[in-house]
């Protein structure tokens, strides 16, 4: 069993920054590809960023490219999402996810087998 615990969400003004953290427990999953997704009411879950098991390769949604950075610390079983230059459009519930089985970064939600409970990010104008 794998559990993912997210933290770092909150309320921030437009142009501000937040860093989300996600720590895995139960068994080691941080040596596999992981990612971040987000969802707002009435919309489909959206890929935000993905990272390979080594952290060497990353993928980003076009909407966040250049503003967000995904990273990981495998020794701590933790993945991070540094969010800079936040916009009101970034407001969403952000979910950490782990593939638990593959090592290459992926944008496909179907490749992720374990999900956190989500952490709310709200960006004010």
């Amino acid at each position: 069993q794998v559990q993912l615990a997210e933290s770092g969400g909150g309320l921030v003004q437009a142009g501000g920054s937040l860093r989300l953290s996600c720590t895995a427990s139960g068994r080691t999953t941080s040596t596999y590809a992981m990612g971040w997704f987000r969802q707002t009411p009435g919309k489909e879950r959206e890929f935000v960023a993905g990272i390979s098991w080594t952290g060497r390769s990353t993928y980003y949604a076009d909407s966040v490219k250049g503003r967000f950075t995904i990273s990981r610390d495998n020794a701590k079983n933790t993945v991070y999402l540094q969010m800079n230059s936040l916009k009101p459009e970034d407001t969403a519930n952000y979910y950490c996810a782990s593939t638990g089985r593959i090592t290459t970064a992926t944008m496909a939600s179907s490749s992720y087998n374990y999900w956190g409970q989500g952490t709310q990010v709200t960006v004010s104008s």
Side-chain angles (χ1 to χ4, degrees):
Q1 298 86 355
V2 175
Q3 294 182 347
L4 302 175
E6 299 122 323
S7 63
L11 175 65
V12 65
Q13 295 181 356
S17 299
L18 287 173
R19 189 181 75 163
L20 306 183
S21 299
C22 173
T23 300
S25 62
R27 70 174 177 91
T28 300
T29 58
S30 61
T31 54
Y32 296 93
M34 298 183 69
W36 288 93
F37 293 76
R38 65 187 183 186
Q39 188 170 30
T40 58
K43 298 182 66 177
E44 294 292 317
R45 186 169 55 197
E46 175 189 18
F47 170 80
V48 176
I51 189 167
S52 64
W53 77 284
T54 64
R56 185 177 299 273
S57 298
T58 58
Y59 291 132
Y60 296 94
D62 289 341
S63 59
V64 307
K65 193 174 299 181
R67 299 188 297 119
F68 291 10
T69 302
I70 188 171
S71 62
R72 68 191 303 165
D73 185 340
N74 287 343
K76 297 181 179 179
N77 294 321
T78 300
V79 64
Y80 305 95
L81 184 67
Q82 178 66 46
M83 305 184 294
N84 298 326
S85 301
L86 282 163
K87 305 174 181 179
E89 306 92 270
D90 296 318
T91 295
N93 200 7
Y94 283 71
Y95 296 89
C96 172
S98 173
T99 65
R101 59 185 179 90
I102 64 175
T103 58
T104 55
T106 178
M107 304 178 187
S109 61
S110 61
S111 295
Y112 293 89
N113 294 316
Y114 304 99
W115 297 82
Q117 82 288 348
T119 184
Q120 180 67 35
V121 172
T122 302
V123 184
S124 62
S125 300

